[in-house]
Amino acid sequence: MPFSSLPDALSSGAELLNRLPLGVSIYRLDDPDDALSFRLIYGNPASGDITGLDLTAEVGRLLTEIAPGVDETGVLDAYLDVVRTGEPRDLGTIEYGDDRITRSTYAVQAVPIDEGAVAVVFDDVSDRHEVLALREAQDRLAKEEDRSRTLLDALDDVIFVYPLRPDGPGSFIAFNAAAVRRYGYTADELREMSIADILDTKRFDAGMAVDELRRERKGQFESVHRTREGQRLYMSTSARLVEYDGQLCVVSLSRDDANRRQFRRDIARANRVLEDAVAERTAQLEAFSEDLKILHAITTADHASTEARYTAYLEAGCEMFDLPVGILAATPFDVATGQRLYHLDAIVSPDPSIQAGLTIPIREAFCDAVVRTGETVAYPDASEIVPDHPACSDRGFRAYIGSPVTVDGEMYGTLNFVSPEPRPGGFTSSERDLLEVMTQAVGRQISLDRAERSRVEAETLYRSVLEAASEGIYGLDLDGKTTFVNAAAVEMTGWTVAEQVGSRQHDLIHHHRPDGEAYPATDCHIYATLHDGEPRSVDTEVFWRKDGTAFPVSYAVTPILDDGEIAGAVVLFRERMPEVLAAGDADRAVALLRSVMSATPDGVMAFTAVRAEGDIVDFEILLVNPRAGEILDRPAAGLVGRRLLEVFPGNVEAGLFEMYARIADGGATASIVVPYHADGFATSFRVTAAPLPSEDGLIVTFADVVDAEAVVLEAEPADADRDA
């Protein structure tokens, strides 16, 4: 069957599903509120064999189109309940048939899987129901027939009737000719005997049988009887309690079925083998489903730290695979040798000598094969497969399973589970699939953690810039309530941060036109932008401070957009002062900028593009802060006016020049961690670059980092948001 629409969690288990002798069909719920919207996305070969349909042709159709009468059975509501609750359900037996599906009785179970889908496991149990119906029919016939002697004597089966007294079975009060023939006793002798006289009580618990008859009023028993000569008879007995001759009696019908019992034993033995195989595969599937729930819970839960989350993954994996050691390792390149290393990011181990932070050459770890092949590798007993491997010969590890962890399409490292003891049973395909699902979850989490760190760093820098700005800046939500203010806004208005945040800005800082006339918030340019999303600027307006004094301002308001929708606005305003004071403010702003540039722990450089026929061929260095000179080991003043590729040609090979050109030509702000092995450096830099439209260039901040791989961390939002 096609797997293109299967959820990720099950697509890798295709081989297991295709081999199951049970029918497995997977339906996706198109409409969460409509039980009629279940659509078939997969059916294994057994499901086609059981139903008689070519399910390859049915994939993509609604279940109500495939089986029009299914809505009358009530299973659709049950499937919907499974999807909503996330709990599996045993639907028992369901009888169904239509023009294309032969009417049969099916045993059905429904198991939830992710992405709004349900897996239905089913089997045709019609034969078992027919046998049960036959037995019930025989019981009804026995109850309705006349304990006619002629009829009884005509039967080859042995029939006994005896009272069931409080102290146990009494003597036989009726029996047929077959009883006399089979046991060798005369009729007179049998009348003096009870069932206990012919039972082999060592092989049958008569007391338990009596208790069952009293409780259930009927029963089926397998027992061994003895003839007068001591011959053993293997009898199958059907017994029932009836009112007979004014007393509670047992009516039993026994048949010598030694041959049939042997045949049944052979069939039962074969069935047990088959059932064990089915049960094992079903258990694997159920365990896989439960393990997926555990991984989902770890992924969505709140953890005290990223390390705690990875430890939770490892602890879960150690339990799932029954291996004591779990390791999440990065496999970075050694900048000195160019070879990969094996660095333990997180570990769960009973051995305290193995701790996170340990770094060894990758050749000493089993995961060298994982990195080399890019695939899951498993060693049930490494001493038989790679006996000379250092992880086996030196560290004593025997069982191993590991899989590659990729982050944003690049190899990050490996997720491994090991044990000093071998694993004689090996690793199942389900366990391999489970590990690969786990590594995908870990890889996504590492990517999210990187993005979050980048976001926090960007937000910290953003807030630092806001606080350092001489202009007043505040943000508004759609209702015009203040979400943040900077120090300059507090200083100019006199309203504290606590007083402004959460309040409507127009209610605190009253707006007046230049002629002094106040106007309502509905006429304000700021609220107009919140309404239509258009940026606006105002040359002169009058604000009122908390102390009641007025001051003229000019301001600009820019909308904040979220997926194209207006989410708020940012307002930047400056006080309009005489030209002499304005010059003083400019000097103050320059001094403040210089202070920020000197205090920042990162290197800061600004560039203007050098173009030839419109294309950027190099960059001229406009600005270098002292920290940049320290990182680059060159005087900052000596770099200003030089061209980038003349001083640092390695920017081309590292890919930085291409990124800078893209950003200077209108690209978005970007961050990257990149190895830099040129111009006398053997390290990695974390670089953040943003466009500088006024200079036809860009501004770059950078810092020296260790053991990182080149990967884009985060892109800035749209132009309107960036301007805000």
Side-chain angles (χ1 to χ4, degrees), residues 342-534:
Y342 184 74
H343 178 81
L344 275 62
D345 284 356
I347 183 168
V348 170
S349 172
D351 184 356
S353 66
I354 309 177
Q355 297 184 354
L358 176 67
T359 301
I360 60 175
I362 197 169
R363 64 178 178 275
E364 297 181 14
F366 282 137
C367 77
D368 58 348
V370 177
V371 174
R372 183 176 64 255
T373 64
E375 298 176 351
T376 298
V377 173
Y379 300 143
D381 188 348
S383 66
E384 297 179 355
I385 304 174
V386 286
D388 298 329
H389 197 290
C392 178
S393 60
D394 299 343
R395 299 186 181 274
F397 288 125
R398 301 281 294 278
Y400 168 82
I401 185 170
S403 192
V405 177
T406 58
V407 178
D408 298 327
E410 298 291 336
M411 167 72 79
Y412 170 84
T414 60
L415 187 64
N416 319 275
F417 296 91
V418 293
S419 173
E421 301 296 328
R423 207 168 198 252
F427 295 92
T428 66
S429 59
S430 294
E431 288 174 321
R432 290 171 175 264
D433 295 339
L434 180 62
L435 179 59
E436 291 172 3
V437 171
M438 187 180 295
T439 58
Q440 292 170 12
V442 170
R444 286 193 295 269
Q445 191 60 49
I446 292 174
S447 179
L448 291 173
D449 290 342
R450 285 182 173 180
E452 177 62 15
R453 285 195 297 271
S454 177
R455 185 195 66 78
V456 171
E457 291 173 359
E459 182 176 325
T460 301
L461 179 61
Y462 175 68
R463 290 192 176 275
S464 298
V465 172
L466 287 181
E467 293 303 318
S470 61
E471 293 86 357
I473 302 174
Y474 57 85
L476 302 176
D477 63 15
L478 275 177
D479 294 328
K481 292 182 179 179
T482 304
T483 58
F484 67 86
V485 294
N486 71 342
V490 172
E491 180 180 353
M492 280 189 276
T493 65
W495 295 97
T496 66
V497 173
E499 290 171 328
Q500 295 194 57
V501 172
S503 300
R504 288 172 59 89
Q505 189 268 348
H506 201 279
D507 293 339
L508 296 179
I509 307 171
H510 302 290
H511 291 219
H512 293 69
R513 294 187 176 89
D515 59 7
E517 181 183 355
Y519 60 94
T522 53
D523 295 340
C524 179
H525 296 287
I526 296 173
Y527 288 90
T529 294
L530 288 174
H531 176 71
D532 61 21
E534 294 295 328

Side-chain angles (χ1 to χ4, degrees), residues 27-274:
Y27 302 93
R28 188 183 308 283
L29 185 62
D30 290 350
D31 183 346
D33 298 321
D34 186 3
L36 300 178
S37 68
F38 279 102
R39 188 178 302 277
L40 179 66
I41 63 173
Y42 166 74
N44 71 343
S47 62
D49 297 338
I50 293 171
T51 61
L53 295 179
D54 179 8
L55 291 188
T56 303
E58 306 295 336
V59 170
R61 301 184 65 196
L62 291 174
L63 177 54
T64 53
E65 296 173 343
I66 300 170
V70 71
D71 186 36
E72 300 176 2
T73 66
V75 299
L76 293 181
D77 291 332
Y79 295 168
L80 182 61
D81 185 60
V82 168
V83 171
R84 287 175 172 173
T85 64
E87 297 293 332
R89 283 188 57 180
D90 185 345
L91 278 64
T93 57
I94 297 172
E95 185 175 339
Y96 183 78
D98 55 33
D99 293 342
R100 298 193 301 163
I101 301 175
T102 303
R103 181 165 294 277
S104 297
T105 302
Y106 301 94
V108 182
Q109 290 183 323
V111 180
I113 54 179
D114 57 1
E115 304 176 20
V118 62
V120 180
V121 182
F122 62 94
D123 194 8
D124 188 338
V125 295
S126 301
D127 292 343
R128 281 174 265 173
H129 280 262
E130 291 174 359
V131 171
L132 180 61
L134 177 60
R135 288 176 179 171
E136 292 177 348
Q138 290 174 336
D139 290 342
R140 288 195 301 272
L141 180 61
K143 185 177 181 179
E144 296 171 358
E145 286 180 342
D146 185 355
R147 303 304 173 196
S148 171
R149 290 299 313 174
T150 302
L151 178 59
L152 292 179
D153 289 340
L155 296 176
D156 290 331
D157 295 331
V158 174
I159 296 178
F160 286 118
V161 180
Y162 53 89
L164 185 60
R165 302 189 177 105
D167 58 349
S171 300
F172 297 129
I173 59 177
F175 46 84
N176 65 349
V180 177
R181 293 194 303 270
R182 295 297 291 162
Y183 294 93
Y185 296 102
T186 66
D188 290 337
E189 289 174 326
L190 284 176
R191 291 189 185 96
E192 300 298 324
M193 299 171 64
S194 70
I195 192 67
D197 296 321
I198 63 173
L199 275 175
D200 186 344
T201 55
K202 294 181 180 179
R203 299 171 179 266
F204 182 73
D205 189 342
M208 181 183 67
V210 169
D211 291 341
E212 182 177 342
L213 283 173
R214 292 185 188 278
R215 183 175 64 254
E216 304 293 339
R217 311 291 294 182
K218 61 182 179 179
Q220 296 280 340
F221 309 104
E222 304 289 337
S223 58
V224 178
H225 293 187
R226 294 280 187 176
T227 68
R228 185 170 188 168
E229 289 74 24
Q231 178 186 3
R232 283 200 296 261
L233 301 177
Y234 294 91
M235 308 296 281
S236 176
T237 301
S238 295
R240 181 180 292 273
L241 285 183
V242 298
E243 292 290 335
Y244 179 75
D245 197 20
Q247 55 185 331
L248 185 64
C249 294
V250 176
V251 179
S252 67
L253 184 150
S254 300
R255 176 174 298 172
D256 186 349
D257 64 345
N259 293 334
R260 186 166 62 90
R261 289 178 64 177
Q262 182 59 45
F263 176 75
R264 286 166 55 190
R265 283 195 292 269
D266 293 340
I267 293 297
R269 189 177 298 109
N271 283 340
R272 282 196 298 272
V273 173
L274 178 61

